[in-house]
Amino acid sequence: MSRIGNKPIEIPAGVTVDVGPGRVTVNGPKGELQQSIDPDMTVEVDDGVLTVSRPTDRGPHRALHGLTRSLIANMVEGVTNGYEKRLQITGVGYRAKPSGKALELSLGFSHPVSVQAPEGIEFEVPQPTEIVVKGIDKQLVGEIAAQIRRHRPPEPYKGKGVRYADEQIRRKVGKRA
């Protein structure tokens, strides 16, 4: 078994990792996550350190090795600290407001757009032009933030729309007289 390029994952106190056949379950203070893994990958837990091993150094095994390690590391981070994505809304009259577990967006359409929060996701609206998507599953947080952005992506002329907080919009000049 090869361990080339394998960085062990430190398991913090209060987090338990259960390795079953083809499945890894991580339980922590913020919740529980499960992930199915490829049967070729070997996951071992020793003294608070989790290691992922691969059977050969062939390309597909190397790719699966890195993927498996990243997914498990993201699960450990998620149940320990959680993840969040920040979105900003730019445009006259564009705003967001929470309504129960859902999020109601006014994005210049003739109707409000409602986004339901799936299990494990919560929305915060510190200001009407700012949205925070929080959860323990990194993939789900990113997917929900992308779905919200997809309703009105930022346009290049005035920059109006929904964008990630750290996203740079490339502006275009527009028509000249």
Side-chain angles (χ1 to χ4, degrees):
M1 290 227 187
S2 176
R3 291 192 60 225
I4 297 173
N6 187 11
K7 288 174 57 179
I9 301 167
E10 296 285 332
I11 301 172
V15 175
T16 59
V17 178
D18 182 36
V19 180
R23 190 165 250 354
V24 174
T25 305
V26 179
N27 212 330
K30 291 199 177 249
E32 179 182 55
L33 292 172
Q34 290 185 352
Q35 179 70 45
S36 59
I37 58 171
D38 193 88
D40 289 346
M41 296 297 116
T42 306
V43 179
E44 299 166 345
V45 180
D46 289 329
D47 297 332
V49 176
L50 186 138
T51 55
V52 180
S53 305
R54 62 182 179 240
T56 68
D57 274 344
R58 289 184 23 236
H61 283 150
R62 289 174 29 185
L64 273 175
H65 181 213
L67 173 71
T68 305
R69 191 218 167 270
S70 292
L71 289 174
I72 296 172
N74 288 342
M75 289 168 44
V76 170
E77 176 71 21
V79 299
T80 306
N81 301 324
Y83 288 101
E84 72 176 32
K85 281 272 191 185
R86 294 185 170 274
L87 299 165
Q88 291 180 337
I89 303 173
T90 307
V92 177
Y94 290 13
R95 65 179 56 91
K97 68 178 180 180
S99 71
K101 282 195 66 149
L103 186 67
E104 191 142 315
L105 303 169
S106 298
L107 298 174
F109 298 119
S110 62
H111 58 283
V113 177
S114 181
V115 178
Q116 298 294 326
E119 190 68 33
I121 295 292
E122 56 187 56
F123 298 124
E124 280 184 15
V125 183
Q127 298 174 356
T129 59
E130 192 175 328
I131 303 167
V132 181
V133 182
K134 289 186 172 186
I136 61 171
D137 188 353
K138 186 175 186 178
Q139 295 175 30
L140 189 57
V141 168
E143 178 64 30
I144 297 302
Q147 286 177 5
I148 293 171
R149 183 183 181 277
R150 206 173 295 135
H151 287 294
R152 180 71 83 175
E155 53 97 17
Y157 295 101
K158 292 186 180 178
K160 294 176 7 176
V162 180
R163 65 181 174 98
Y164 297 113
D166 56 353
E167 182 179 11
Q168 297 291 321
I169 306 300
R170 295 190 73 185
R171 302 289 294 271
K172 291 185 178 178
V173 175
K175 278 202 291 190
R176 300 267 171 147

